[in-house]
Amino acid sequence: MTLKSLLLSSALGVAMLVPGLASAKDLTVAIQNNLTGLDPTNVNDTLSQTSLRLIYQGLFGFDKDMKLVPLLAESYESNADATEFTIKLREGVKFHDGTDFNAEAVKINLDRLRNPDNNLSRRSLVSMINKVEVVDDLTVRLVLDAPFGAMIASLAHPGAMIISPAALEKYGDEINRHPVGTGAFVFDNWAADTLTVTRNDDYWKGPAKVDRVVIRSVPESGARMAMLQTGEAQFVPNFPPELMQVIEKNPDLKVDISPSIVEYYVAMNNNKEPFGNQKVRQALNHAVDKDAFCQIVFSGLCSPADSIIPKDLSFHVTAGEYEFDLDRARELMAEAGYADGFETEIWANSNTESLRAMQFLQQQLAQINVDVNVVPLEAGVAAQRIWSIESAEDAEVQMYYGGWSSSTGDADWGIRPLLLGENAPPSMFNVAYYADDELDAAITGAIGTADPTERAKYYETAQKLAWDGAPWIFLGVADLVAAQTADVTGVHMLPDRGFLLEDAAFTE
């Protein structure tokens, strides 16, 4: 069976289930942070981009195991050196506003995303594209500046999902409030802490099995658990692990634990003293007990970091270990001229988990006379103060706690956005403002070849250089915990901390 016929038969199988839609209900999902926007090409956080999978689709995407699958594309071919990609598109798909999905729509979207004048935060996903050619109505060709082995994986990232060209023309910059895609659900409303979408009855795979999906932002962990217990919410991704036992005792609820590709760290702004001093950064790594971090913040469902990317991401190598050693930390602080310590502040999102992590780090660093002021930020405020500044000189952040996952499934997106020197905000996400010529050469070398062996060599070098340079306090890689009511099926967490809701259904 060909890929095309396989996908068509799957769509027909879904369509045959439509009679059961009479018993469909609303699905409410409780998440820990507010959404920051509805333009997939210009949001920085996993929760916003994964929620937009309800409305939008890319040419490619991922299944629940984060294996690459075709979506709006049916297939692709590339030349031997991965500088040209010819992509065949799915026929008969329409955007929610009735606009046809075709090669011209793809060209308009990719040209918009890769244009540096548009200042879109996900531009680096497609910045290596030199030209987008419309071969025919259902075929598009991408011509790259140089070989890039992760091109199709980059197109599967939610940041490359396809927006209706008619909507882009109609709304312009306001597309952030008026999303129009090809997905299983149509945008209804976004206000304050709630996003609501309704079923797309003309969806090319066949209608979904729930009437509406409501995404509710609820930062406090206990409140999310209470919503699940009362039935106010039916799915809680990123469920607080310290509350798992309560869920496990309730026969009407169930919990799922799975490995992740999310690494947690503290970025230290190298443009702010004393973080420009490598010995200070290394000292702070030795001053934090990573095993205790995993136990206190994630109830032990976590492994200490051993590199700048997690072990389940392609091209990972063990880069080293910063042993918990207060004597060594104090020695390095003295060598750097900070034997008496210093004062600083740490920023993070204002959810329960992040607050607990910041308080833990505050206590740990106090042992070497580093006085840390904890500053929780609502997600929208964090997006403005950290990622949307005008220039590096405007950056006020000193330390930032967060987690990052490569939503392409490739090492490229786990390293390049965060540690390439030119990728500091507002360009990308290098909030450590770290610049090292050798590291930059390794990162750019890796994206300049499609040879896996060569890429592996470059990424090994990059990981070891960054580990020694210590732009971050390397913390841990946490497992994923999701909880749901027992009558819900078809909801899945992805290893990158995202989720899939398209196949959600309620059992009788």
Side-chain angles (χ1 to χ4, degrees):
M1 180 178 285
T2 66
L3 176 62
K4 180 175 181 178
S5 60
L6 176 62
L7 291 173
L8 285 173
S9 65
S10 298
L12 288 171
V14 172
M16 291 172 66
L17 295 174
V18 171
L21 290 173
S23 60
K25 298 193 295 185
D26 295 352
L27 175 75
T28 297
V29 180
I31 60 176
Q32 75 266 45
N33 292 320
N34 286 338
L35 304 184
T36 59
L38 301 183
D39 177 356
T41 67
N42 205 33
V43 292
N44 303 330
D45 62 296
T46 300
L47 284 176
S48 294
Q49 70 185 25
T50 198
S51 297
L52 289 171
R53 284 185 167 110
L54 292 163
I55 301 168
Y56 288 113
Q57 296 174 297
L59 298 176
F60 302 89
F62 296 100
D63 66 13
K64 64 183 179 64
D65 300 314
M66 212 155 176
K67 291 184 171 59
L68 195 74
V69 294
L71 290 177
L72 294 177
E74 288 191 339
S75 62
Y76 77 93
E77 295 178 349
S78 67
N79 61 358
D81 61 358
T83 57
E84 287 190 10
F85 292 81
T86 301
I87 301 171
K88 298 295 291 185
L89 306 179
R90 187 173 301 282
E91 186 176 3
V93 177
K94 289 186 179 292
F95 292 95
H96 299 153
D97 58 7
T99 304
D100 289 332
F101 167 74
N102 53 29
E104 186 61 31
V106 174
K107 177 175 171 57
I108 289 169
N109 273 265
L110 294 183
D111 283 347
R112 170 182 178 264
L113 180 53
R114 69 189 184 91
N115 184 348
D117 294 338
N118 292 329
N119 293 314
L120 297 171
S121 65
R122 296 304 189 183
R123 174 179 171 265
S124 283
L125 289 168
V126 297
S127 60
M128 64 293 298
I129 298 176
N130 176 266
K131 182 168 53 175
V132 182
E133 299 176 344
V134 174
V135 178
D136 57 44
D137 203 41
L138 293 174
T139 310
V140 66
R141 179 178 297 118
L142 312 182
V143 181
L144 312 190
D145 289 319
F148 184 51
M151 187 70 254
I152 298 301
S154 293
L155 292 176
H157 189 288
M161 292 190 294
I162 304 297
I163 304 170
S164 163
L168 285 171
E169 183 175 356
K170 179 178 180 180
Y171 296 113
D173 291 342
E174 290 300 307
I175 195 69
N176 186 53
R177 305 288 309 192
H178 303 278
V180 182
T182 61
F185 294 88
V186 178
F187 173 67
D188 181 24
N189 186 59
W190 180 41
D193 60 358
T194 304
L195 170 69
T196 304
V197 296
T198 56
R199 186 175 64 229
N200 174 16
D201 288 332
D202 297 320
Y203 184 42
W204 60 270
K205 287 188 183 181
K209 304 183 203 64
V210 297
D211 293 326
R212 296 194 313 163
V213 177
V214 179
I215 306 288
R216 287 274 310 278
S217 302
V218 185
E220 207 280 310
S221 293
R224 294 200 305 280
M225 183 184 72
M227 290 176 66
L228 194 67
Q229 289 177 307
T230 62
E232 187 179 354
Q234 294 80 44
F235 181 49
V236 180
N238 302 295
F239 188 80
E242 70 274 12
L243 300 176
M244 276 196 320
Q245 289 185 342
V246 178
I247 298 300
E248 290 170 337
K249 293 176 182 177
N250 189 331
D252 296 325
L253 305 175
K254 57 184 179 181
V255 66
D256 181 65
I257 301 171
S258 58
S260 86
I261 54 170
V262 183
E263 179 153 338
Y264 290 87
Y265 61 94
V266 175
M268 296 171 279
N269 186 342
N270 280 234
N271 291 338
K272 302 281 189 185
E273 289 302 328
F275 301 117
N277 190 312
Q278 181 183 7
K279 289 185 176 181
V280 169
R281 300 193 303 270
Q282 291 177 333
L284 268 57
N285 267 287
H286 282 295
V288 176
D289 185 337
K290 312 310 189 326
D291 289 311
F293 166 81
C294 284
Q295 188 62 48
I296 290 170
V297 180
F298 295 104
S299 299
L301 297 174
C302 169
S303 300
D306 65 1
S307 184
I308 59 175
I309 56 175
K311 63 180 178 60
D312 286 342
L313 202 61
S314 61
F315 302 112
H316 164 274
V317 298
T318 298
E321 178 186 6
Y322 281 103
E323 184 180 1
F324 177 53
D325 187 338
L326 292 176
D327 289 337
R328 178 58 177 153
R330 294 185 183 109
E331 181 182 326
L332 286 165
M333 290 284 283
E335 291 175 7
Y338 290 93
D340 295 329
F342 57 88
E343 292 185 16
T344 188
E345 61 183 24
I346 186 168
W347 296 0
N349 284 331
S350 57
N351 60 65
T352 303
E353 175 194 290
S354 295
L355 284 169
R356 186 164 58 245
M358 288 193 291
Q359 290 163 356
F360 167 78
L361 292 162
Q362 180 185 52
Q363 294 164 356
Q364 292 282 287
L365 297 181
Q367 298 174 104
I368 58 169
N369 299 318
V370 176
D371 184 10
V372 179
N373 181 36
V374 168
V375 182
L377 301 173
E378 186 274 326
V381 175
Q384 288 298 318
R385 296 188 67 184
I386 299 173
W387 315 115
S388 301
I389 58 172
E390 292 294 326
S391 65
E393 290 73 25
D394 298 325
E396 298 176 354
V397 63
Q398 297 176 50
M399 302 173 74
Y400 165 72
Y401 167 79
W404 181 268
S405 57
S406 172
S407 292
T408 66
D410 190 89
D412 167 63
W413 200 250
I415 299 174
R416 180 165 56 99
L418 299 176
L419 291 171
L420 188 66
E422 66 185 37
N423 283 345
S427 172
M428 289 280 288
F429 315 114
N430 181 354
V431 74
Y433 295 88
Y434 188 68
D436 177 85
D437 289 342
E438 287 186 89
L439 177 59
D440 285 357
I443 295 171
T444 54
I447 64 172
T449 178
D451 183 340
T453 302
E454 289 299 310
R455 293 186 75 207
K457 291 178 182 176
Y458 280 120
Y459 283 131
E460 179 177 3
T461 298
Q463 288 169 79
K464 291 183 176 178
L465 286 170
W467 187 265
D468 184 60
W472 305 340
I473 301 175
F474 305 101
L475 295 173
V477 179
D479 289 341
L480 300 175
V481 181
Q484 64 188 77
T485 55
D487 62 343
V488 170
T489 63
V491 295
H492 306 285
M493 282 210 72
L494 297 171
D496 71 343
R497 202 172 33 178
F499 44 77
L500 296 176
L501 306 174
E502 180 179 319
D503 295 328
F506 288 90
T507 58
E508 294 296 335

